Amino acid sequence: MVVDVAEVVTELKATYTSGKTKSYEWRESQLKALIKMANDHEKEIIEALRSDLNKPEFEAFVHEISTVKSSCKLALKELRRWMSPEKAKTSSTTFPSSAEIVSEPLGVILIISTWNYPFLLSLDPVVGAIAAGNAVVLKPSEIAPATSLLLSKLLGEYMDSSAVKVVEGAVPETTALLEQNWDKIFYTGNGKVGRIVLAAAAKHLTPVILELGGKSPVVVDENINLEVATRRVIGGKWASNCGQTCVSPDYVITTKAFASKLIDALISELEKFYGNEPLKSLDLSRIVNSSHFNRLTKLMDDEKVFGKIVHGGQQDKTNLRIAPTILLDVPEDSMIMNEEIFGPLLPIITVDKIEDSINVIHAREKPLAAYLFTNDKKLMDEFVGSVSAGGLCINDTTLHLAESSLPFGGIGGSGMGSYHGKFSFDAFSHKKAVLRRSFAGDISARYPPYTTRKLQLLKALLNGSILGILRALFGW
Amino acid sequence: MLHIGQGQLPLLLFPAKAEVLPEPLGVVLIFASWNFPISLALDPLIGAISAGNTVVVKPSELAPACSSFLARIVPLYLDNKAIKVVEGGSDVAEKLLEQKWEKIFFTGSPRVGRIIMSAAAKHLTPVTLELGGKCPIILDSLSGSDLKVTVKRISGGKWGACAGQACIGIDYVLVQRKLAPVLVELLQKCIKTFYGENIKNLNSICKIVNKNHFERVCNLLEDPGVAASIVYGGSFDKQNLLIEPTILLDPPLDAAIMTEEIFGPLLPIITLNDVEESIEFINARPNPLAIYVFTKNKTFKEKLLQETSSGSVIFNDTMIQFICDGLPFGGVGQSGFGRYHGKYSFDTFSHEKAILQRSFFLELEPRYPPWNGFKLEFIRLAYNFDYIGLLLLLLGLRRRYTSRTVI
């Protein structure tokens, strides 16, 4: 069934123009509906994620369902405060006046979601768009078809379908959607499609948020609690959708001296987590489809790289599973070190001194996240000060996404714009500047004909110089 | 500095410290426009520098004296290893756009804004577009000294801002029909006082920037319906590129003068039955960069604020939001996106880097696989902030939830 996207947009624009989505009551009702939907259908959501990704129930609950509900609850709690105008400072240059910033919705938003956290990455932006009072079209990823279908069904049942619509489909539908005139586009995915989205948006001068990815490095120093650190690396890598996460640790940098200790610790903890037959573990996601499976095996089977595997490497093509795999010192120019891995392969790059790791990071595109495990304050400060990434997490991985008071977004190749918490509300709002002036105290020096005296007075006023004002007034 | 607990992270993930650190973007490109050629080049530059970036500024070739001034003087005062002025026309602009920038800041027309954004898309470069639009004045019924002050502010704001060639410049006026005659009369008097009696004695006003724009603005008056609606002015001096302040009363709404941004010293006055109709009038058109409302009616003020969308709204004055640094300056819809002035300039050229710092102690076992019913229930309770439930679970007094994932 081909959806007429132009009609969809026309309908949503009409709904938006009617003012319905601007009211607090409407926004509140929709956010509550999302929570109810997630609660009532938790089992089906977990099923869909199992079908699309073989995602363990734990990940489905913690990473996706729970996070969406938290976002709704936070928005509900803060919505009145977020919606209220913010006072702005005025100075003597505009005296007497009062200034404020009023948040208003943008209009009709297009949200294009992705396949790795198909529930979360579809609904989290929707929460922000609705909280800000917009109408929304959601385009879930066709690469996670069970979740896409479920979202279409559930949102249709629970949400106000005159203002919130799901359009399923693949490239043709997405292209048709991108031709429309949106008030904002929110895209999660890769840089290649990100460029296409941005180019399409340019035709209508539509502002865009791009949540992309990159190679998020983990620097592991010595003199740390190695057991805890390795668990946290594993947690962010294999226990996060089998490495198919935009902020997954992509590769590790450590010293030559420490590498073997780190590898031993990783192997030991991996076995505790997934047993000695990880391809059979029930707690590991599978690779999403055969196209990505082939992409990953190609990275591993590369002759420059194959011999560097120090652990893992097992593949199960039928079930699209790859075991947690660690590689040591692959060549800098190998494909695995030049593309975002997005899978269960972890290259470890060694350096002489741990400080050199910062140069390794600087030689590459700015990533979405960067991680450091250390107890050395000096190294921590240098890392924080000089590593540019969307976000940093020290002594843990991926957790910074769960803190809603932190903006989540990229920089350079890893994206533009941010969201989460109030940043989501702001992302889908226009901050309108309002200046209120009175008729009293009109300064004739503003108006022509311009004289030297008027200029002197105005200069003094703009400089806030009392003496200058007096001089100009009294002609000194 | 933010604290865990303000966010939605369960206290179980304590201890942690969260903060946002602004950092420069890198090398940024600023395109300045020709109407305020010094401030529109330097104002964004100030933001870029304060945020720690290196900068290329391309002034507009349509203001050649200012462009060459900037190219000559800026290197004498600023670090020219980090800040460069590049002069030239569209060919130079095209070459600049082929490079990879960390940000592009553009002030100008929507047409060129599209070109800039399309070029930026190739490198995933974020942009700020400060465009324009038809900024209306809504005039409610006022009288006496309030009306006199209003007329001064309209005259000063329209013709005293680069002869109407300003992005936040007043484009047209919306007023109740019965007030139009008084308005026209007062405007005429004011124009004569401020700018001179006629085209020959014109003073205190800018010229039109070049022949192209001069002809474009004069052509707006060619339409017979438009020409017939002129109630004051309409004369021009082709040699000196001067057009006298011109007032029109109810020109046809489908003429170019009412569908395109005028960007010149022509002021159409559109009359309505009721001032409230102005809201519908504005909403039928693209979002302007600014809406100016002269009124004392509180209800109308709030209604207008709620029901229209624009970069900014100013009550009882014109243009002055430009010098209020506490307010963000930018558009919405066709008038652009992004903003600057004051701290917003710093923010526009910064990346807000999120940082979460954790410690090694207080590890949370249920985070990690292999997952079982106990761990799942533990995490479920923790994320629901159900600490009593957690206690019961730990004491073995709560039924465990069991389920297994299957391949």
Side-chain angles (χ1 to χ4, degrees):
Chain A
M1 190 186 72
V2 176
V3 168
D4 185 339
V5 296
E7 245 179 59
V8 166
V9 175
T10 308
E11 189 192 336
L12 288 177
K13 280 201 191 301
T15 307
Y16 177 73
T17 310
S18 75
K20 190 191 212 191
T21 62
K22 285 187 178 183
S23 77
Y24 173 84
E25 290 71 29
W26 183 86
R27 305 183 203 195
E28 184 194 42
S29 75
Q30 297 301 286
L31 293 169
K32 285 186 168 159
L34 275 173
I35 295 178
K36 188 164 195 303
M37 184 188 93
N39 281 332
D40 292 351
H41 296 270
E42 189 179 296
K43 269 202 153 51
E44 283 158 77
I45 298 165
I46 291 174
E47 267 307 315
L49 292 169
R50 182 176 304 169
S51 165
D52 285 333
L53 291 149
N54 199 36
K55 191 169 283 213
E57 182 175 346
F58 179 95
E59 289 188 38
F61 178 76
V62 175
H63 298 167
E64 301 223 39
I65 300 170
S66 180
T67 310
V68 170
K69 290 198 297 190
S70 289
S71 294
C72 290
K73 287 179 189 160
L74 180 67
L76 281 166
K77 181 161 160 251
E78 299 291 329
L79 193 57
R80 281 218 193 270
R81 199 172 60 86
W82 290 350
M83 280 174 73
S84 57
E86 192 194 311
K87 274 232 154 302
K89 255 176 68 173
T90 56
S91 65
S92 58
T93 51
T94 53
F95 182 83
S97 64
S98 76
E100 58 185 9
I101 300 165
V102 171
S103 291
E104 56 181 34
L106 292 167
V108 185
I109 314 287
L110 172 63
I111 293 172
I112 301 175
S113 173
T114 186
W115 55 262
N116 58 344
Y117 292 80
F119 187 76
L120 171 69
L121 297 178
S122 295
L123 294 183
D124 216 0
V126 169
V127 169
I130 288 175
N134 300 281
V136 186
V137 169
L138 167 66
K139 156 82 189 61
S141 171
E142 70 279 16
I143 298 178
T147 310
S148 176
L149 186 60
L150 186 63
L151 281 169
S152 181
K153 174 169 157 272
L154 290 180
L155 289 177
E157 274 172 36
Y158 281 77
M159 308 295 283
D160 175 355
S161 59
S162 72
V164 178
K165 290 198 190 296
V166 177
V167 173
E168 290 194 83
V171 173
E173 286 76 11
T174 310
T175 309
L177 284 166
L178 286 172
E179 281 166 11
Q180 305 306 311
N181 185 356
W182 305 95
D183 295 292
K184 189 143 192 173
I185 300 176
F186 185 102
Y187 169 76
T188 309
N190 65 58
K192 182 166 145 285
V193 177
R195 282 171 174 80
I196 296 171
V197 171
L198 206 44
K203 297 200 181 78
H204 296 287
L205 293 171
T206 298
V208 174
I209 291 185
L210 299 177
E211 294 273 334
L212 309 176
K215 291 182 79 62
S216 302
V218 189
V219 176
V220 181
D221 193 12
E222 315 185 21
N223 304 317
I224 54 169
N225 184 330
L226 190 53
E227 196 190 0
V228 171
T230 29
R231 286 171 158 191
R232 290 176 179 182
V233 170
I234 297 173
K237 179 84 171 183
W238 295 285
S240 292
N241 208 20
C242 201
Q244 300 166 106
T245 300
C246 52
V247 288
S248 261
D250 187 278
Y251 65 102
V252 169
I253 312 171
T254 192
T255 53
K256 290 183 162 52
F258 198 62
S260 56
K261 260 202 177 145
L262 175 59
I263 291 172
D264 288 341
L266 279 167
I267 294 175
S268 163
E269 292 300 320
L270 277 170
E271 196 165 324
K272 287 190 200 151
F273 284 19
Y274 303 113
N276 48 23
E277 283 189 283
L279 287 180
K280 295 211 173 86
S281 168
L282 301 169
D283 293 324
L284 201 58
S285 291
R286 66 154 208 267
I287 307 305
V288 69
N289 62 18
S290 51
S291 164
H292 278 277
F293 181 88
N294 293 336
R295 179 183 64 77
L296 287 164
T297 51
K298 201 157 154 243
L299 291 179
M300 277 163 66
D301 297 340
D302 180 339
E303 57 178 16
K304 285 193 261 184
V305 158
F306 187 74
K308 307 286 183 183
I309 296 178
V310 295
H311 179 75
Q314 303 97 313
Q315 307 168 11
D316 173 358
K317 192 165 183 158
T318 322
N319 292 307
L320 295 177
R321 302 193 61 137
I322 299 176
T325 302
I326 304 173
L327 307 96
L328 181 59
D329 281 326
V330 295
E332 284 284 311
D333 62 352
S334 54
M335 247 195 328
I336 200 176
M337 280 310 293
N338 287 286
E339 294 177 6
E340 186 176 1
I341 295 169
F342 225 69
L345 319 176
L346 185 72
I348 298 179
I349 305 293
T350 59
V351 290
D352 291 322
K353 294 189 327 288
I354 197 66
E355 289 80 10
D356 297 340
S357 59
I358 294 183
N359 298 334
V360 173
I361 298 172
H362 281 167
R364 292 178 160 70
E365 278 263 26
K366 295 177 186 182
L368 190 49
Y371 306 108
L372 169 65
F373 285 88
T374 189
N375 277 317
D376 178 348
K377 181 128 203 326
K378 194 155 155 275
L379 180 66
M380 202 187 301
D381 288 344
E382 210 201 316
F383 187 85
V384 168
S386 67
V387 171
S388 183
L392 306 177
C393 191
I394 310 293
N395 296 334
D396 212 322
T397 62
T398 73
L399 223 61
H400 58 297
L401 264 63
E403 177 45 61
S404 61
S405 54
L406 286 174
F408 174 58
I411 179 179
S414 52
M416 56 180 79
S418 61
Y419 71 129
H420 283 189
K422 182 170 189 283
F423 301 100
S424 287
F425 178 88
D426 292 343
F428 295 106
S429 296
H430 167 53
K431 301 289 179 174
K432 185 159 73 179
V434 179
L435 185 65
R436 297 169 194 267
R437 295 263 297 155
S438 88
F439 294 102
D442 195 41
I443 299 169
S444 62
R446 280 172 72 169
Y447 307 114
Y450 305 121
T451 62
T452 315
R453 183 137 166 264
K454 279 185 179 180
L455 189 58
Q456 279 168 343
L457 181 59
L458 271 181
K459 270 189 183 172
L461 273 167
L462 289 168
N463 286 335
S465 152
I466 309 277
L467 202 58
I469 294 170
L470 289 172
R471 284 174 66 184
L473 283 174
F474 291 104
W476 291 341
Chain B
M1 237 259 301
L2 311 149
H3 299 276
I4 298 294
Q6 262 185 2
Q8 288 297 294
L9 210 60
L11 287 171
L12 284 171
L13 290 159
F14 173 89
K17 185 175 98 170
E19 57 187 15
V20 174
L21 182 68
E23 58 177 32
L25 294 169
V27 187
V28 305
L29 173 63
I30 295 171
F31 284 104
S33 174
W34 49 262
N35 51 349
F36 295 84
I38 301 292
S39 70
L40 294 178
L42 297 183
D43 219 352
L45 177 62
I46 291 166
I49 290 173
S50 60
N53 301 280
T54 54
V55 192
V56 168
V57 178
K58 184 187 144 345
S60 170
E61 71 281 17
L62 298 189
C66 288
S67 175
S68 88
F69 168 83
L70 288 168
R72 220 176 359 108
I73 300 297
V74 165
L76 299 179
Y77 286 81
L78 299 182
D79 178 355
N80 72 0
K81 285 215 160 57
I83 299 153
K84 293 203 187 290
V85 177
V86 173
E87 291 194 86
S90 53
D91 51 336
V92 169
E94 260 174 56
K95 285 220 178 67
L96 286 169
L97 287 171
E98 282 165 19
Q99 304 305 311
K100 179 170 189 241
W101 305 92
E102 257 68 63
K103 181 137 193 174
I104 299 177
F105 185 101
F106 170 77
T107 308
S109 72
R111 187 187 67 85
V112 180
R114 283 182 179 82
I115 298 172
I116 305 275
M117 195 173 163
S118 302
K122 298 196 184 80
H123 296 289
L124 290 174
T125 298
V127 304
T128 291
L129 299 178
E130 296 274 337
L131 310 176
K134 290 181 78 64
C135 302
I137 286 195
I138 301 171
L139 181 54
D140 198 359
S141 53
L142 296 167
S143 57
S145 64
D146 290 347
L147 184 56
K148 287 215 173 71
V149 169
T150 298
V151 167
K152 280 187 181 178
R153 290 177 176 179
I154 295 176
S155 305
K158 174 76 182 185
W159 296 287
C162 204
Q165 300 164 101
C167 52
I168 44 168
I170 300 154
D171 194 278
Y172 63 100
V173 175
L174 291 166
V175 70
Q176 205 182 352
R177 195 153 294 124
K178 63 180 190 194
L179 297 169
V182 172
L183 176 63
V184 171
E185 195 198 316
L186 287 173
L187 275 172
Q188 288 180 10
K189 283 208 185 100
C190 195
I191 288 170
K192 290 187 175 147
T193 315
F194 285 3
Y195 306 110
E197 291 280 328
N198 52 45
I199 187 81
K200 286 196 173 58
N201 301 327
L202 209 56
N203 62 74
S204 302
I205 191 169
C206 287
K207 69 175 207 255
I208 306 305
V209 68
N210 62 16
K211 199 155 154 281
N212 255 358
H213 277 279
F214 181 86
E215 277 166 15
R216 178 188 63 77
V217 178
C218 289
N219 284 343
L220 293 175
L221 298 175
E222 292 275 301
D223 182 306
V226 173
S229 69
I230 298 175
V231 294
Y232 180 84
S235 312
F236 37 83
D237 172 352
K238 196 163 180 177
Q239 196 164 9
N240 295 308
L241 296 179
L242 288 168
I243 300 176
E244 72 169 320
T246 300
I247 307 172
L248 306 96
L249 188 56
D250 281 323
L253 293 179
D254 58 357
I257 200 175
M258 281 310 294
T259 59
E260 294 172 11
E261 190 175 358
I262 296 169
F263 229 68
L266 317 177
L267 184 71
I269 297 175
I270 309 295
T271 60
L272 307 165
N273 294 322
D274 190 275
V275 78
E276 309 245 328
E277 287 174 14
S278 56
I279 292 179
E280 206 187 309
F281 191 95
I282 291 172
N283 285 343
R285 291 161 172 77
N287 297 336
L289 194 47
I291 298 176
Y292 303 105
V293 192
F294 286 86
T295 182
K296 287 183 127 155
N297 182 339
K298 276 209 170 88
T299 318
F300 180 59
K301 282 185 188 180
E302 289 318 304
K303 190 163 192 275
L304 185 115
L305 262 184
Q306 289 299 313
E307 296 182 16
T308 60
S309 181
S310 56
S312 58
V313 175
I314 291 82
F315 292 109
N316 301 330
D317 210 331
T318 59
M319 313 298 288
I320 200 164
Q321 76 276 26
F322 199 79
I323 54 172
C324 183
D325 275 345
L327 284 175
F329 182 77
V332 67
Q334 294 297 295
S335 49
F337 55 81
R339 56 206 189 153
Y340 71 129
H341 283 186
K343 181 168 188 283
Y344 300 102
S345 290
F346 176 90
D347 293 341
T348 269
F349 290 102
S350 296
H351 166 54
E352 305 214 310
K353 186 164 71 180
I355 304 169
L356 186 72
Q357 197 178 319
R358 293 259 296 145
S359 91
F360 286 105
F361 87 119
L362 276 193
E363 250 302 72
L364 191 66
E365 282 284 338
R367 270 177 79 174
Y368 307 117
W371 292 303
N372 53 40
F374 174 86
K375 282 187 180 178
L376 199 60
E377 186 65 3
F378 184 97
I379 286 294
R380 202 181 278 279
L381 291 168
Y383 271 79
N384 286 330
F385 298 90
D386 185 352
Y387 295 111
I388 309 258
L390 267 176
L391 191 60
L392 293 174
L393 180 70
L394 288 168
L395 292 173
L397 296 173
R398 188 185 168 98
R399 221 170 69 97
R400 290 179 191 191
Y401 177 93
T402 50
S403 89
R404 296 293 274 160
T405 55
V406 279
I407 297 175

